[in-house]
Amino acid sequence: MTSQLPPRETDHYTQLSDAAVVTTRALLTARENIADTIDASAMMCLHGPAGVGKTLAVNVCLREVERTRGEEICRISFRARPTARAVRHELFAALGLPGDPPRHPSEFDRLLLDSLAAQPRTLVVDEAQWLNRETFEYLRYVWDHPYSQVAIIFAGGEGAHTVLRKEPMLSSRIFIWQHVTKLSLKEVQQVIPLYHPVWARADPANIAFADRHAAHGNFRNWARLTAHTLTALERTGRDYPDQEVLR
């Protein structure tokens, strides 16, 4: 089955050329947590503010799981508060089921449960902060079924934790909660020179200056700043960014 994970080229904001995936503490933790969740056929929630690398961490770790373990990854995402009917149809598409979706809910549920019982799968639910009680109840229903072989990974913004916690029937079943936060200055100094060649020869003081005034430990901000820095270097003919360029 074709992978449902986005291509590696889209991992970085603006598809920044030459940017590397750097091994942060959060990425290492996510790798362990996702592996443990899949092994237990459990559910986990990875949440945090925008731009700190949640989606990248999930995609990188799950690509590794796909490659090394042959796990089938199914990915669904919602942009509005969906109904149970919408969730059924999203699952039908993500599972790659043939034919037309059944019209009657009971028949539809039986088809989905049979498919989820047939083989182990990992379901990634992105933008989990958009979900509502009806959606959570349905996902809990399919996961709770005694024959289901599914692990569920909820990923979302800060609101995802709050929304999930409001649903005790589901939140009590969450195996692992992981809160992804911004990089500390120490982490910035360690990983940003590895993140992109433009920072490899930069003075650590200038990297700290850039983080303090623009990036604030946020990977998306660093990607944006890197793109602007590359443009500035090209226009000025300089080889590496100093504080004048950064200002």
Side-chain angles (χ1 to χ4, degrees), residues 26-99:
L27 181 60
L28 288 172
T29 303
R31 181 178 293 155
E32 292 179 354
N33 287 341
I34 288 172
D36 291 346
T37 300
I38 292 173
D39 287 342
S41 295
M43 292 189 283
M44 72 170 282
C45 176
L46 189 144
H47 61 102
V52 294
K54 303 179 302 295
T55 301
L56 181 144
V58 170
N59 289 339
V60 167
C61 295
L62 287 177
R63 284 194 201 107
E64 184 178 336
V65 168
E66 260 187 342
R67 178 176 56 82
T68 61
R69 300 169 54 162
E71 183 79 8
E72 184 176 328
I73 312 296
C74 302
R75 189 172 179 270
I76 61 175
S77 181
F78 302 101
R79 295 295 173 184
R81 302 195 178 280
T83 62
R85 180 179 183 277
V87 180
R88 289 185 181 98
H89 281 267
E90 284 291 328
L91 282 172
F92 183 90
L95 293 171
L97 297 176

Side-chain angles (χ1 to χ4, degrees), residues 164-182:
L164 273 165
R165 284 293 190 190
K166 289 181 179 178
E167 304 298 331
M169 293 292 286
L170 182 66
S171 65
S172 66
R173 289 165 166 78
I174 298 295
F175 187 55
I176 295 174
W177 299 87
Q178 182 179 345
H179 186 211
V180 181
T181 60
K182 67 180 184 179

Side-chain angles (χ1 to χ4, degrees):
M1 186 175 181
T2 304
S3 176
Q4 295 183 24
L5 296 171
R8 287 179 175 83
E9 307 86 72
T10 64
D11 279 346
H12 301 281
Y13 177 67
T14 71
Q15 300 188 29
L16 182 65
S17 179
D18 297 324
V21 173
V22 288
T23 306
T24 62
R25 180 168 40 87
L27 181 60
L28 288 172
T29 303
R31 181 178 293 155
E32 292 179 354
N33 287 341
I34 288 172
D36 291 346
T37 300
I38 292 173
D39 287 342
S41 295
M43 292 189 283
M44 72 170 282
C45 176
L46 189 144
H47 61 102
V52 294
K54 303 179 302 295
T55 301
L56 181 144
V58 170
N59 289 339
V60 167
C61 295
L62 287 177
R63 284 194 201 107
E64 184 178 336
V65 168
E66 260 187 342
R67 178 176 56 82
T68 61
R69 300 169 54 162
E71 183 79 8
E72 184 176 328
I73 312 296
C74 302
R75 189 172 179 270
I76 61 175
S77 181
F78 302 101
R79 295 295 173 184
R81 302 195 178 280
T83 62
R85 180 179 183 277
V87 180
R88 289 185 181 98
H89 281 267
E90 284 291 328
L91 282 172
F92 183 90
L95 293 171
L97 297 176
D100 296 324
R103 293 186 178 184
H104 300 290
S106 59
E107 184 185 353
F108 210 153
D109 291 346
R110 176 50 52 197
L111 176 67
L112 293 175
L113 290 173
D114 286 346
S115 178
L116 292 171
Q119 68 181 76
R121 290 184 176 90
T122 296
L123 176 65
V124 184
V125 184
D126 206 4
E127 303 294 350
Q129 69 273 10
W130 287 100
L131 305 186
N132 54 19
R133 174 169 291 181
E134 188 175 6
T135 311
F136 285 135
E137 279 299 303
Y138 193 81
L139 291 172
R140 180 180 67 83
Y141 162 70
V142 298
W143 179 83
D144 250 350
H145 193 269
Y147 298 109
S148 288
Q149 299 185 71
V150 62
I152 301 180
I153 299 170
F154 295 101
E158 293 284 29
H161 176 269
T162 304
V163 170
L164 273 165
R165 284 293 190 190
K166 289 181 179 178
E167 304 298 331
M169 293 292 286
L170 182 66
S171 65
S172 66
R173 289 165 166 78
I174 298 295
F175 187 55
I176 295 174
W177 299 87
Q178 182 179 345
H179 186 211
V180 181
T181 60
K182 67 180 184 179
L183 299 172
S184 67
L185 179 58
K186 181 179 179 181
E187 286 182 293
V188 166
Q189 297 281 28
Q190 291 171 341
V191 304
I192 293 305
L194 305 174
Y195 170 62
H196 194 279
V198 75
W199 305 112
R201 292 189 296 152
D203 189 313
N206 291 338
I207 290 177
F209 175 86
D211 192 63
R212 184 166 61 251
H213 290 278
H216 311 297
N218 183 292
F219 261 119
R220 191 171 297 157
N221 289 344
W222 269 108
R224 183 184 299 114
L225 177 62
T226 301
H228 288 310
T229 299
L230 290 170
T231 301
L233 292 177
E234 183 180 352
R235 289 175 179 171
T236 60
R238 301 192 185 191
D239 295 325
Y240 59 90
D242 55 19
Q243 286 196 21
E244 183 180 353
V245 169
L246 291 170
R247 285 193 182 95

